[in-house]
Amino acid sequence: MPAGLRKNARPYTLVALLAATVFIWYVALREERGGFLTVAFFDVGQGDAALIESPTGTQVLIDGGGPDRSVLRALGRAMPFFDRSIDVVIATHPDQDHIGGLPEVLARYRVSHILEPGVAAETAVYEEFEARVAGEGAEHVLARRGMRVELGGGAYLDILFPDRDTDGFETNTASVVAKLTYWTTSFLFTGDSPKAIEVYLATL
């Protein structure tokens, strides 16, 4: 083989070796984390953001904190640097301290499904969020009671509220309430649901 061809092949060989190393490291990391449900509650200042990862690797981000990059920094610590996708994003309600960081998340991660309650807010951050949702190409779903998101490995997320059209609701009252179940362990995510909704759900 001519020497010139051997020289040109070297960069491709290095790239292939690097890709193989990253893949092996990724598989090893997934094996190390595999078999367990993880729930990370992020410190995003005022507001909420939590990341669920099922035993099979399905990821759900619930809310995104305030209008800064806190949630991006938290995701960067919780996820491998090369993982640029999130399976489900749930915006519990359109207040700034819950969706403020989501436009940046949608800009930097590939998101497959987006769930929200369907109540609107006349704010710049909500308009930006909706614009990002429209451009993401994800499946956009109004969360309603009776929906179940299968996460794999025995984990699933049930939507408990809203149970009706939220048009005209106060934003906190419209909050998505979701119950994460993994065998005998469960978590309840309530957004900013007021006491009246909690009492209502307890009677169902």
Side-chain angles (χ1 to χ4, degrees):
M1 179 182 293
L5 290 181
R6 288 197 297 272
K7 288 182 179 180
N8 290 338
R10 287 177 184 173
Y12 297 103
T13 302
L14 291 175
V15 169
L17 287 173
L18 179 60
T21 301
V22 170
F23 178 75
I24 292 170
W25 182 72
Y26 173 71
V27 170
L29 180 64
R30 292 298 291 268
E31 286 296 322
E32 180 182 346
R33 298 173 66 184
F36 298 96
L37 173 77
T38 61
V39 181
F41 295 93
F42 296 150
D43 180 3
V44 289
Q46 182 180 2
D48 291 338
L51 180 69
I52 301 166
E53 183 166 342
S54 80
T56 58
T58 301
Q59 296 163 328
V60 180
L61 176 65
I62 300 180
D63 287 333
D68 58 27
R69 297 178 177 235
S70 295
V71 68
L72 290 181
R73 291 191 291 270
L75 287 170
R77 292 189 294 269
M79 297 168 59
F81 72 91
F82 49 81
D83 188 352
R84 309 305 296 175
S85 64
I86 299 173
D87 297 287
V88 182
V89 167
I90 299 177
T92 61
H93 62 297
D95 288 355
Q96 178 172 282
D97 58 341
H98 286 256
I99 67 164
L102 291 182
E104 291 290 338
V105 171
L106 295 176
R108 286 166 172 74
Y109 289 84
R110 297 185 307 277
V111 176
S112 300
H113 301 81
I114 299 170
L115 278 69
E116 62 169 311
V119 65
E122 295 181 358
T123 62
V125 69
Y126 178 71
E127 291 178 1
E128 184 181 4
F129 169 70
E130 286 296 303
R132 290 289 187 185
V133 169
E136 180 67 21
E139 183 177 352
H140 186 198
V141 179
L142 295 182
R144 291 293 180 264
R145 181 177 178 84
M147 292 180 178
R148 171 170 291 185
V149 182
E150 293 286 354
L151 304 181
Y156 55 89
L157 196 67
D158 283 329
I159 304 300
L160 305 183
F161 196 82
D163 60 357
R164 66 197 74 177
D165 181 9
T166 58
D167 187 38
F169 274 39
E170 188 273 330
T171 55
N172 285 347
T173 304
S175 290
V176 175
V177 178
K179 181 180 180 181
L180 171 65
T181 301
Y182 178 58
W183 303 112
T184 59
T185 301
S186 62
F187 297 79
L188 193 63
F189 300 89
T190 61
D192 277 341
S193 291
K195 183 177 180 180
I197 297 299
E198 295 176 1
V199 172
Y200 169 68
L201 290 175
T203 64
L204 297 178

